[in-house]
Amino acid sequence: MANLHLKTLKCIETEDWLRHDDPQLAVNGANILLPSMREGQKHAIDEYHAFDGDVTITLHETDGLPGDGSDFLGSHTLSEEGSGILNFTKDGANYQLSYTLTRS
């Protein structure tokens, strides 16, 4: 059994040209509710997720416009214990997610 602690998400650069994003983070497909973010903002997530095996963390920017869909900002799969920062830099965005992964 492993435990993932998601600490903070920081927006370095938004994907949306309107200068605010609606990020959607997912851990092994389970969505995490996040507020809208602007460049320079940091959001404390402070959530724990238990899992077996590897864990995949994905970030999208959800567009509120009909038919616009969402923009894929990146994905990371973790298997090793430790703490760090994951960078999500696809589609012109730049987000940093801090985390700690432990195994028992």
Side-chain angles (χ1 to χ4, degrees):
M1 179 63 73
N3 199 14
L4 176 67
H5 178 204
L6 299 175
K7 297 177 180 180
T8 62
L9 182 67
K10 182 176 183 180
C11 177
I12 308 297
E13 185 173 349
T14 60
E15 181 278 331
D16 219 339
W17 61 272
L18 297 173
R19 293 294 161 224
H20 95 273
D21 281 348
D22 294 309
Q24 184 177 43
L25 193 62
V27 175
N28 284 344
N31 291 329
I32 297 168
L33 183 63
L34 297 171
S36 293
M37 296 183 76
R38 296 188 184 280
E39 291 180 4
Q41 285 187 313
K42 190 176 195 178
H43 174 69
I45 300 171
D46 195 29
E47 285 192 18
Y48 291 84
H49 297 267
F51 63 95
D52 291 314
D54 296 344
V55 62
T56 299
I57 304 163
T58 305
L59 185 65
H60 284 86
E61 197 281 317
T62 59
D63 292 320
L65 302 174
D68 199 12
S70 67
D71 300 302
F72 177 70
L73 304 184
S75 182
H76 295 276
T77 299
L78 303 174
S79 58
E80 303 287 324
E81 270 191 307
S83 295
I85 294 177
L86 301 176
N87 293 296
F88 297 88
T89 57
K90 303 265 189 219
D91 209 16
N94 188 351
Y95 282 84
Q96 295 178 334
L97 175 68
S98 62
Y99 73 94
T100 297
L101 189 150
T102 56
R103 294 196 178 271
S104 52

PDB file of all heavy atoms in Angstrom, residues 25 82 98:
ATOM      1  N   LEU A  25      -7.116  18.519 -11.730  1.00  0.00           N
ATOM      2  CA  LEU A  25      -6.105  17.532 -11.383  1.00  0.00           C
ATOM      3  C   LEU A  25      -6.800  16.196 -11.172  1.00  0.00           C
ATOM      4  O   LEU A  25      -7.898  16.143 -10.610  1.00  0.00           O
ATOM      5  CB  LEU A  25      -5.411  17.985 -10.099  1.00  0.00           C
ATOM      6  CG  LEU A  25      -4.119  17.312  -9.681  1.00  0.00           C
ATOM      7  CD1 LEU A  25      -3.028  17.529 -10.712  1.00  0.00           C
ATOM      8  CD2 LEU A  25      -3.679  17.869  -8.335  1.00  0.00           C
ATOM      9  N   GLY A  82       9.323   9.253  -2.035  1.00  0.00           N
ATOM     10  CA  GLY A  82      10.059  10.505  -2.015  1.00  0.00           C
ATOM     11  C   GLY A  82       9.155  11.710  -2.138  1.00  0.00           C
ATOM     12  O   GLY A  82       7.945  11.597  -2.300  1.00  0.00           O
ATOM     13  N   SER A  98       3.605  20.086  -5.790  1.00  0.00           N
ATOM     14  CA  SER A  98       4.481  19.485  -4.791  1.00  0.00           C
ATOM     15  C   SER A  98       3.772  18.297  -4.155  1.00  0.00           C
ATOM     16  O   SER A  98       2.552  18.312  -3.952  1.00  0.00           O
ATOM     17  CB  SER A  98       4.902  20.500  -3.725  1.00  0.00           C
ATOM     18  OG  SER A  98       3.776  20.985  -3.026  1.00  0.00           O
TER      19      SER A  98
END
